[in-house]
Structures are given as C-alpha cells and as structure tokens.
Amino acid sequence: MNANDLRAPALSPSQKAQFDRHGFIGPFDGSVPGDVIDRVAYRLAAMIDERWKHPLYGRFSVRDWHLLDDEVLALFRDPAVLGRMKALLGEDLILWRSKVFDKQPGEGVLGWHQEWGAFNGEEIGNDVPGLEPAPESRSQYWNLTAWIALVDIDESMGPIRFALGSHRRHYPITMAPLTKTEFWHDPFLGVSDPQVLVKRANEGSLILDVDTTDVFEGMDTETLSLDRARDRVLYVLSQKVGALTLDFDASNETIVNTTMRKGQFVIFSERTMHGSSANQSSRRRLAINGRVTHSSTIVYPGRLRGNYVDGSNIDISKHRCILLAGEDRAGVNVFEASRFNAASTGMSAGVLQ
C-alpha cells in the first residue's frame, strides 16, 4: 500500500512493524483542504500573537483549541489520521488533548525529551498524572500523538526530530532550574519593551503553564529597564524547576528530521525521544498535535477525587474529551455532549471566544 494513498489510510503489516521499530511513522498526507488549514493557521497564530484568553481555562493557553474550533477538530477527525490511529491503537479512541506549537524565527532548540504515558507535568516540576490506562493497556501503547504541520516546514525551520528506536528505553530525568531544562522557552524573543514582559508575567502568558504572576511583585515596574526586567525574569524562573533528561547522547543515535508540507502529519509514541532544532529561517514554524488514547483510559483521574488542576497548572473542570471512534469503554470520562458521536456532522466552523 502506498503510504500516501488516502483511499486506504490504514497501515500495512510492514508499516506497523516500522512503527514498532522506530517509534514513529510518517509523514503522510492529510485530506483536509489547504484553505481550511490556512484558516486554522491564521486563527491560531492570532491567538498566540494576541495572547487570547482561553474560554475554557480562563487564561492564555495553546491547549485544546479543538474544543472551540470545528476546523481544528476536523484535523484530527481526518480519515487519513484516524485510520492510521485505529490501525495502531484499536477501534475505540478518544482525543483528549491538543497543543499548538509555534517556533518563531530565531527561536532556539527544544531539547530531547520523552513522555512515558502519564503526562504528569514533569516538564515544569509537577507530578499530576493526566492519564490512567486500563490494566490491560499497561504493557503496550495507550496514547499516541499526531503532529500536523500547518505550514510548509523545511530543514531550516527546526522540524520535529526523532531518535529511532529510543522508545524502547525509559531515560531517567532529574529536576533542574527551569531555565536550564529541555523545555526552556525564550520569553524575550521579539520583545523590546519591558512593559510587555511585565504585562505577560502578570497575566500568566509569559511562560506557558508556569505561574509568573509573582515575578515583578513589589517592584516599581513603571521605570523598569529592559535589562532589569530580563534579569528579574531569569532570576525568578531559575528558582522554579523542570525536567532534564539524563544519559541520552544524540551523537550515538540515528536522528530523523521530519520536514513536512502543509497538512502532512506524523504519528509517534511520546516514549520516542524527540525535540527540534533552532528555527534559522525568517518564517514561523506553526504546527499542532493531538493526543489520542484508548477510550478505556481514564483522562485526568484526579478529577474523580475532586482535583481539577492538571500537571500544567490548568483548571480542567471545563475540559471535555472527544470520541473519535468506537465506544466509550471507561465509563467515567467527560465528553463534549454535542460531539460525543464520532459521526456527528453539521458543526459550524470558527473559533468561539
């Protein structure tokens, strides 16, 4: 079977074997029209540039816009994506999380990291599991990620990259100052006004998922210089911790950089060591991922015990799952009522703000 044959989007036995060896597969062509992808890219870029407050989470977040925008959701309901997910995970699938990735021109490396299936927020020093798999799933994959390019991504733009076969080993991590971790994101890129840093810190949009409302607490910010503001941000954030991967040497691994055309996607296990190089181009690298799990998996198990804050410090009391295929097997997950039926149609397009 041709890997890009959208009439037969399942995977052949050899492709499944390739996934098991490498920990990822693709890129494949999606079937969502290019003009739809362009509209999605435009809206999501605006969301990031203007720091939209997420209607479900009450603050700026790049998570779960598929719950608010039908055209974003369509990317993950695409038969080209869903057929291959079913081939790897089975017939009963839910979409439980999505995240937008925006690598700006000049933005640096995203370090090597892996996730072993709990999605507990260890990247920012937390330990609040986001998934609890059914007992029968614990010996296999229970979550896979589809990573979809929203623009053409070439080698110079910092494409997502994988270390082949690295999903077979669970690399240890340690906690380190947040500014020294794999996930450190330069909050100063493109900022020339210290008041922008102050505003973003106070509203919690300076560093994704990290509470920065105390960064400038007690300071006279009206006369703050850019250098002083930068120093303050770095000092405060160096007191917070995040995950740092140990014992992984990329020079000893086979690394694949996955350049993609707009609308193409890869599917991978988060156990596979992955990251991205710097964006050395003049173009922003915009992409989105969707995380798909068995419907027997309990999503945000802490919610069953009254804990409505996840490992990313997000209030998930309004979060909903989307049933992509098959039936709900867990019986305790909360679904978007109007989208519970995977075959539902007639949804309007556009972002709800």
Side-chain angles (χ1 to χ4, degrees):
M1 182 188 72
N2 186 325
N4 292 315
D5 186 351
L6 299 180
R7 295 168 299 176
L11 296 175
S12 67
S14 64
Q15 288 174 317
K16 290 181 182 179
Q18 178 185 338
F19 180 86
D20 288 338
R21 286 195 310 274
H22 293 169
F24 80 98
I25 195 164
F28 298 104
D29 291 338
S31 60
V32 174
D35 61 333
V36 174
I37 295 173
D38 289 341
R39 290 197 297 269
V40 166
Y42 177 84
R43 291 196 293 272
L44 294 179
M47 175 270 294
I48 291 170
D49 294 343
E50 299 169 17
R51 296 299 202 269
W52 290 355
K53 182 181 287 188
H54 198 293
L56 299 181
Y57 301 142
R59 68 178 213 204
F60 172 67
S61 178
V62 296
R63 282 253 303 272
D64 301 334
W65 285 91
H66 69 277
L67 293 174
L68 300 160
D69 188 313
D70 296 327
E71 289 185 332
V72 175
L73 178 58
L75 297 174
F76 304 109
R77 280 190 163 152
D78 180 357
V81 175
L82 189 52
R84 290 168 173 110
M85 280 288 187
K86 290 167 69 175
L88 293 168
L89 276 180
E91 295 294 321
D92 303 308
L93 301 177
I94 54 178
L95 173 65
W96 70 281
R97 184 185 289 188
S98 67
K99 185 176 181 179
V100 183
F101 292 87
D102 179 39
K103 187 179 276 286
Q104 295 278 352
E107 189 168 332
V109 169
L110 176 64
W112 292 105
H113 60 284
Q114 61 182 176
E115 161 61 56
W116 217 250
F119 296 93
N120 62 350
E122 65 187 16
E123 67 274 12
I124 55 172
N126 289 336
D127 187 12
V128 184
L131 295 180
E132 183 179 302
E136 63 270 19
S137 299
R138 292 182 180 274
S139 62
Q140 55 194 324
Y141 306 117
W142 61 78
N143 182 91
L144 295 178
T145 295
W147 198 94
I148 303 171
L150 300 178
V151 296
D152 292 339
I153 299 174
D154 64 28
E155 194 79 31
S156 71
M157 296 170 71
I160 188 171
R161 56 187 179 181
F162 301 99
L164 296 190
S166 55
H167 59 301
R168 298 191 184 97
R169 177 183 173 188
H170 191 175
Y171 287 85
I173 62 168
T174 189
M175 289 297 128
L178 188 62
T179 53
K180 303 295 184 182
T181 67
E182 320 292 1
F183 303 93
W184 173 245
H185 173 82
D186 183 357
F188 313 119
L189 196 65
V191 177
S192 58
D193 182 352
Q195 295 307 312
V196 172
L197 295 179
V198 172
K199 180 178 183 295
R200 290 179 179 178
N202 289 343
E203 68 186 12
S205 68
L206 185 63
I207 301 289
L208 288 175
D209 303 327
V210 175
D211 182 6
T212 55
T213 55
D214 62 343
V215 168
F216 296 106
E217 193 174 71
M219 296 183 67
D220 178 7
T221 58
E222 292 186 3
T223 59
L224 201 60
S225 69
L226 183 61
D227 285 343
R228 177 68 176 126
R230 287 168 54 95
D231 289 346
R232 179 64 179 177
V233 168
L234 290 173
Y235 171 75
V236 173
L237 293 179
S238 69
Q239 308 306 304
K240 302 179 186 292
V241 299
L244 182 68
T245 302
L246 301 176
D247 300 341
F248 179 78
D249 184 353
S251 66
N252 294 328
E253 307 291 334
T254 301
I255 306 300
V256 175
N257 292 308
T258 52
T259 58
M260 285 185 258
R261 297 189 305 275
K262 176 181 71 178
Q264 288 191 315
F265 64 93
V266 292
I267 294 176
F268 65 99
S269 165
E270 291 276 354
R271 300 179 185 186
T272 307
M273 196 66 74
H274 58 287
S276 64
S277 54
N279 185 354
Q280 299 175 330
S281 77
S282 60
R283 294 158 291 157
R284 71 192 305 172
R285 192 214 70 180
L286 199 63
I288 188 170
N289 78 10
R291 288 172 176 159
V292 178
T293 187
H294 296 290
S295 71
S296 60
T297 302
I298 299 174
V299 177
Y300 298 126
R303 180 158 49 187
L304 302 179
R305 299 181 292 276
N307 181 6
Y308 289 90
V309 177
D310 76 352
S312 301
N313 300 321
I314 288 177
D315 178 350
I316 46 85
S317 57
K318 296 181 181 178
H319 171 274
R320 302 291 184 266
C321 296
I322 299 291
L323 186 66
L324 290 179
E327 300 178 7
D328 169 29
R329 300 293 182 181
V332 295
N333 290 321
V334 182
F335 288 88
E336 176 67 24
S338 64
R339 302 177 186 181
F340 184 86
N341 185 347
S344 65
T345 58
M347 296 182 296
S348 60
V351 165
L352 303 177
Q353 294 188 64

